[in-house]
Amino acid sequence: MGGQQVTSLSGTKPRVGVVGLGAMGMGTATALLERGFEVTGCDVSEKARAGFEQAGGRTVSEPAELAATSDVVLLVVVNAGQVEEVLFGESGIVGGLKPGSLVIQCATVAPAVARDFAERLGQAGLEMLDAPISGGAAKARAGQLSVMASGSTQAFGLAEPILDGMAATVYRLGDAPGVGSSMKLINQLLAGVHIAVAAEAMAMAIRMGLPAEVVYEVITHSAGNSWMFENRVPHILKGDYTPLSAVDIFVKDLNIVHDTGRELAMPTPVAASALQQFTAAKAAGFGKEDDSAVIKVYERLAGITLPAAANDSGEELA
């Protein structure tokens, strides 16, 4: 089914709860706050909560606390286990949301898992939009994300004003949960492969003695470029592996690709190779670093020297 953009609705803005104030969740919550929504943020991190409070938002430490004051809850957490806990755990939101409320599920999960969550929420009288997001922290903060969404007409109707406030493009992919997560799976397959191969290309270039900055300049103006090459290689050039999207994320997401391929009897050899590279980076201790740190596998295997981080004066750090 081809995607179509969802247009905005006029009317009273619903009260929004955002669970997960990481890079994407914080940006989305702040963008919605700036667009006039009443937003309550929730995160286990006191630092994350303080950051959103400084932006003018209200925060709570437990998901159940925001249920009673939210008409729509966005889940911008890491994985299916966290979604399960937020929805149905001891301090979950399901018991506190009024019937007919909406959950917008933005985490990357397997399509079958998304369908299961939607079914269980439906049994509790709640709507769910399967709505994985893409675009990175900067676009989240600008309210310019891409959303791959599927769900009932009722779910889309409830979600529309929020989607209009957080996204540049919303693809309406179907009337049943699971389709949005299927599309995100394809996006993550490509994203993970592109990051892994960008790291491989840069490692080979460095091994051959090519100046890394020159390689970046040439490739970003040539046919070999990709969005991920252009976005991630600057992290490598700066020696800055501050996690905007961690290695661990792609270990998880490419494992979802692998498992889904196995269920479909569909070989995914290129994605499997990328998964092994991210797994190697995780095993080497780089799981919490930016996903561009997958290049550090080559630093150990091929003996290359990667660009070092610089301090505020521009001097390289040892």
Side-chain angles (χ1 to χ4, degrees), residues 38-61:
E38 178 185 327
V39 183
T40 301
C42 176
D43 199 285
V44 295
S45 167
E46 184 176 347
K47 181 179 179 181
R49 297 197 304 272
F52 188 54
E53 288 170 3
Q54 289 176 357
R58 171 179 175 267
T59 67
V60 296
S61 60

Side-chain angles (χ1 to χ4, degrees), residues 174-316:
D175 58 6
V179 185
S181 286
S182 295
M183 184 62 71
K184 182 61 184 291
L185 180 151
I186 298 304
N187 182 80
Q188 294 307 90
L189 186 162
L190 289 165
V193 167
H194 289 174
I195 294 168
V197 78
E200 182 174 303
M202 289 304 299
M204 176 171 272
I206 292 168
R207 185 71 175 81
M208 291 191 296
L210 294 172
E213 295 83 359
V214 173
V215 174
Y216 178 76
E217 175 69 17
V218 172
I219 295 302
T220 54
H221 292 85
S222 303
N225 193 31
S226 69
W227 191 93
M228 282 299 187
F229 185 98
E230 192 162 345
N231 185 268
R232 297 304 203 266
V233 171
H235 303 179
I236 297 168
L237 299 179
K238 296 174 184 176
D240 183 1
Y241 298 97
T242 303
L244 300 179
S245 174
V247 164
D248 280 346
I249 295 295
F250 277 98
V251 174
K252 170 184 71 76
D253 290 356
L254 289 173
N255 262 305
I256 293 173
V257 172
H258 174 76
D259 291 344
T260 303
R262 184 176 56 192
E263 292 168 6
L264 297 171
M266 169 74 195
T268 54
V270 179
S273 180
L275 171 58
Q276 290 305 309
Q277 289 301 102
F278 283 105
T279 302
K282 178 182 177 68
F286 308 129
K288 303 301 182 187
E289 296 188 23
D290 187 76
D291 51 35
S292 59
V294 71
I295 196 172
K296 292 185 178 183
V297 173
Y298 298 100
E299 186 175 37
R300 295 193 175 187
L301 294 178
I304 63 172
T305 300
L306 295 174
N311 63 22
D312 292 340
S313 67
E315 297 175 346
E316 288 190 354

Side-chain angles (χ1 to χ4, degrees), residues 149-160:
S150 64
S152 68
T153 300
Q154 175 70 7
F156 271 107
L158 293 169
E160 210 158 8

Side-chain angles (χ1 to χ4, degrees), residues 25-103:
M26 179 70 80
T28 297
T30 305
L32 289 171
L33 191 68
E34 290 179 349
R35 286 158 175 75
F37 289 90
E38 178 185 327
V39 183
T40 301
C42 176
D43 199 285
V44 295
S45 167
E46 184 176 347
K47 181 179 179 181
R49 297 197 304 272
F52 188 54
E53 288 170 3
Q54 289 176 357
R58 171 179 175 267
T59 67
V60 296
S61 60
E62 298 289 342
E65 297 179 64
L66 61 68
T69 58
S70 301
D71 303 307
V72 177
V73 177
L74 282 95
L75 305 186
V76 196
V77 295
V78 173
N79 55 37
Q82 290 186 1
V83 175
E84 174 78 27
E85 185 65 23
V86 169
L87 292 177
F88 307 108
E90 185 176 342
S91 186
I93 63 175
V94 168
L97 290 172
K98 65 178 183 294
S101 296
L102 174 68
V103 173

